[in-house]
Amino acid sequence: MSAKIDHIGIAVKSLEQAIPKYRALMQKEPDHIEEVKGQAVKVAMFRTGDSSIELLEATTPESPIARYIEKHGEGIHHICLAVENIDTALQEAVEAGLEIIPQKDDRGAGGHRIAFLHPKSTGGVLIELVEK
Ligand code: ZN
């Protein structure tokens, strides 16, 4: 099975402000809202076909999303690829010269195992992998 785009993560300052805009754009309510403590974010997922748009709001000033917005402003934060086996995918990524970002907690939204690959090794895009 090849990897699929699972979602595109968008860093926003406020979910409260962003959700009504995306509700209008996506013509639906968010499918899922969840706080992911290990990543210091609150997420709102809008499913669209096989993939989703994930709005991300920081829950602490040290959150990667808070730091991203401080540096770059709001915008596309990452692209997430769904893989069948994250250990195999990470091993293949490392063999291909990609760099894994170390993290304490590998649980993302929905309790799925996740990993991030450093933008400096992927052509400037933060890539998240999720095992589904
Ligand atoms: Zn994500």
Side-chain angles (χ1 to χ4, degrees):
M1 194 192 86
S2 63
K4 291 193 178 111
I5 293 184
D6 184 77
H7 63 264
I8 295 170
I10 299 176
V12 299
K13 285 181 188 158
S14 155
L15 281 183
E16 202 187 328
Q17 284 174 27
I19 285 173
K21 295 174 190 168
Y22 277 83
R23 183 191 290 136
L25 204 55
M26 307 299 285
Q27 304 186 314
K28 66 190 285 191
E29 295 293 327
D31 292 280
H32 184 71
I33 295 179
E34 178 186 352
E35 186 174 342
V36 185
K37 285 228 166 67
Q39 304 288 332
V41 290
K42 197 172 167 195
V43 307
M45 286 282 195
F46 288 88
R47 210 169 298 127
T48 163
D50 284 340
S51 44
S52 303
I53 287 187
E54 177 187 62
L55 303 178
L56 298 146
E57 179 192 275
T59 53
T60 71
E62 296 77 35
S63 165
I65 295 303
R67 281 186 272 135
Y68 181 88
I69 288 176
E70 208 174 288
K71 234 172 145 181
H72 307 280
E74 294 180 306
I76 293 184
H77 178 258
H78 65 269
I79 293 177
C80 179
L81 299 173
V83 296
E84 215 168 4
N85 182 308
I86 202 162
D87 295 312
T88 310
L90 286 175
Q91 194 184 328
E92 287 172 8
V94 168
E95 281 165 13
L98 301 176
E99 191 186 313
I100 300 168
I101 299 176
Q103 54 177 356
K104 280 181 244 151
D105 190 336
D106 72 350
R107 296 287 158 180
H112 296 288
R113 281 186 69 201
I114 58 167
F116 286 97
L117 300 172
H118 202 288
K120 74 181 178 201
S121 66
T122 61
V125 182
L126 178 61
I127 302 281
E128 177 182 7
L129 298 178
V130 62
E131 182 175 285
K132 282 206 160 161

